[in-house]
Amino acid sequence: LASGPRPASDVLVALWSGEELGLLGSEHWARAPTIPLERIAANVNLDMVGRAGNSKLSVLGAGSAKEFSLLLASAGPRARLDLEVSLSGQGVGGSDHQTFLKREIPALHFFTGLHADYHRPSDDYARFGPEGARRVAPLVLDLVDDLASDGNLAFVPPAKEAPGATPGGFKTRFGSIPDYVFEGPGMR
């Protein structure tokens, strides 16, 4: 971002900690922001994007602004990435984009998907995929540049979930975390 042409608007780059403990870093910042929240056009959350070697990248929350789907439709092919875009306004998952969505600020969550090392000590730097990251970075830079040029995104509230549904569409909870990457029979 610093080495390219100057964006049409300010771009704030933030790194937060404490996400797994309840979005502590992003929530602290949002309660005492360094710039007024009304000046934020959108949040672009890069959380676990280091495994795009298969050229797939999930994009959650794309329904939180109507402009997102059009921007993503052109940005994905330019970056040679197969985007799995969720047009739901919900940014499923407990990542830092949720801090912005609940304040009605459009937000995207980029994610290369669950894997066997997800939230385990085995998810180490040796598993990082530089080839995929070389495609994710320009995609995000193009998107940030497009967002900086547009600037005026209207927040689209998410559709209401069915009564009794749990976040993410699960209807039943039984106190365990399933292995989301398990492809065998049943649930592990």
Side-chain angles (χ1 to χ4, degrees):
L1 186 62
S3 65
R6 185 176 176 89
S9 69
D10 293 338
V11 176
L12 175 66
V13 177
L15 304 166
W16 292 301
S17 186
E19 176 210 50
E20 287 83 6
L21 299 173
L23 309 178
L24 298 181
S26 59
E27 279 293 331
H28 173 77
W29 185 86
R31 285 191 299 275
T34 55
I35 61 170
L37 292 178
E38 56 273 6
R39 288 191 47 211
I40 298 173
N43 169 259
V44 178
N45 181 24
L46 301 173
D47 185 0
M48 297 188 55
V49 295
R51 293 195 182 203
N54 62 0
S55 298
K56 293 191 183 303
L57 184 66
S58 294
V59 186
L60 303 172
S64 63
K66 66 179 180 151
E67 296 85 355
F68 283 158
S69 61
L70 183 61
L71 294 172
L72 291 165
S74 62
R78 281 195 314 261
R80 297 183 342 261
L81 284 166
D82 177 19
L83 300 183
E84 297 171 358
V85 178
S86 168
L87 292 178
S88 162
Q90 296 284 20
V92 178
S95 193
D96 290 306
H97 60 287
Q98 295 292 91
T99 295
F100 295 87
L101 289 174
K102 80 179 195 181
R103 288 170 173 83
E104 299 188 349
I105 297 170
L108 293 172
H109 176 201
F110 290 93
F111 179 64
T112 52
L114 298 169
H115 47 76
D117 300 308
Y118 184 72
H119 282 191
R120 290 187 166 84
S122 58
D123 193 10
D124 204 342
Y125 72 92
R127 304 210 189 265
F128 176 76
E131 290 305 316
R134 281 189 189 100
R135 284 182 288 232
V136 173
L139 168 100
V140 172
L141 289 173
D142 281 352
L143 184 63
V144 165
D145 189 49
D146 289 344
L147 292 172
S149 299
D150 190 346
N152 294 323
L153 303 176
F155 179 76
V156 176
K160 298 289 183 201
E161 297 224 17
T166 58
F170 293 106
K171 306 263 186 260
T172 305
R173 301 185 101 177
F174 62 96
S176 178
I177 300 172
D179 181 350
Y180 293 107
V181 296
F182 178 66
E183 295 182 3
M187 182 180 359
R188 180 167 68 187

